[in-house]
Amino acid sequence: MHENLADNLRMWDESYAWPQDGDEWQGQAALCGVPYAEWKASLVEHLIDPYVTPETAVLEIAPGRGRWTEYLVRRAAHVTLVDISPACLAYCRERFQAFANVEYALTPGDRLPEGAGGRIGVVWSYDSFVHMHPDVVAAYLREIRRVLKPGGRAVVHHANVADPATHRQEEAPGWRSAVTSAAVRGMAAEAELSVEAQFTYWDEARRIGVPRFGDQITVLRAERAERPSTSSLTS
């Protein structure tokens, strides 16, 4: 296992207490100068509602305790939750047990379910790629390409550090990894994904987005049919 994967497993499965199921992370809203509830509603309005319809099959990478899953399961036709943490998946199973449109898959941290190949309309990931080593990000982008349908999109929140050559994740505020937006564009091209947009603020007029730690959102698109499958996971 990549050292970064082991660190993430240890952090989110064992060490972190999840005091408000992810809603304790309100720093982005504070920096944007808006109440957390307003910031959260704005994210849903701009990054979930335009992409997810009642016909969409969604795959969420690293849902944690379901901070954004609660919106996905109410809107999408089907949601596949993929996480490295058995504890997080167990919590989500309990939290969303009333929903019949959800399935769960444990990942080693860089692969997506075999059976998802070519059938996913939207891949969603927030507050997860920000902690991933560039090698792990690249692996996931290849997997995202494999599972997306032609025309499918991925909405990914990731780090965008100033100097990846000198950046040290273990010392960085927000535990951000040494990833840049330019690197994500390059990895996406290698994975045969088109970059539709990269931005810090999804609402430029009100300056609402993810400015804390220099983060960015990248929207990716799959133009053609999926690649041959290379992974195998069980739910």
Side-chain angles (χ1 to χ4, degrees):
M1 176 182 282
H2 194 291
E3 182 180 355
N4 176 249
L5 297 179
D7 289 344
N8 272 289
L9 176 59
R10 185 163 48 250
M11 172 67 77
W12 310 116
D13 194 65
E14 301 173 9
S15 301
Y16 191 68
W18 298 93
Q20 297 181 52
D21 298 337
D23 280 322
E24 64 274 17
W25 294 317
Q26 301 184 12
Q28 299 282 9
L31 194 56
C32 292
V34 297
Y36 177 67
E38 181 178 338
W39 176 88
K40 197 174 185 184
S42 178
L43 183 150
V44 173
E45 176 187 354
H46 288 86
L47 299 185
I48 292 180
D49 288 351
Y51 300 106
V52 180
T53 74
E55 291 75 44
T56 306
V58 176
L59 186 149
E60 182 176 10
I61 298 173
R65 292 287 186 92
R67 180 189 189 188
W68 303 108
T69 312
E70 65 171 322
Y71 300 98
L72 299 173
V73 297
R74 288 176 169 84
R75 186 168 178 84
H78 188 271
V79 179
T80 302
L81 301 183
V82 179
D83 207 298
I84 196 173
S85 165
C88 285
L89 284 181
Y91 189 93
C92 285
R93 284 181 186 273
E94 178 69 22
R95 179 172 180 177
F96 302 112
Q97 61 181 311
F99 293 87
N101 63 335
V102 190
E103 65 178 316
Y104 306 84
L106 186 65
T107 176
D110 58 0
R111 296 202 301 275
L112 299 176
E114 174 75 20
R119 71 174 181 86
I120 301 299
V122 171
V123 172
W124 166 264
S125 189
Y126 185 92
D127 253 354
S128 174
F129 278 65
V130 295
H131 306 304
M132 293 180 190
H133 186 277
D135 292 346
V136 179
V137 173
Y140 259 139
L141 290 181
R142 291 191 295 270
E143 284 289 272
I144 287 171
R145 176 65 181 84
R146 180 179 66 81
V147 303
L148 282 178
K149 301 190 298 185
R153 290 178 172 87
V155 181
V156 178
H157 168 219
H158 58 83
N160 181 35
V161 303
D163 185 357
T166 61
H167 185 83
R168 298 292 179 267
Q169 182 171 355
E170 62 275 12
E171 302 168 2
W175 200 43
R176 267 33 183 184
S177 57
V179 170
T180 66
S181 290
V184 171
R185 290 195 299 272
M187 295 173 197
E190 290 181 0
E192 299 182 5
L193 289 163
S194 298
V195 176
E196 284 199 340
Q198 284 189 315
F199 48 84
T200 296
Y201 299 99
W202 53 76
D203 187 336
E204 281 283 1
R206 295 190 293 163
R207 303 295 282 177
I208 299 177
V210 286
R212 196 172 188 219
F213 310 123
D215 294 353
Q216 288 229 305
I217 303 287
T218 295
V219 180
L220 302 157
R221 180 182 174 95
E223 302 295 347
R224 300 190 302 277
E226 75 275 14
R227 290 175 164 184
S229 65
T230 57
S231 67
S232 178
L233 297 180
T234 58
S235 59

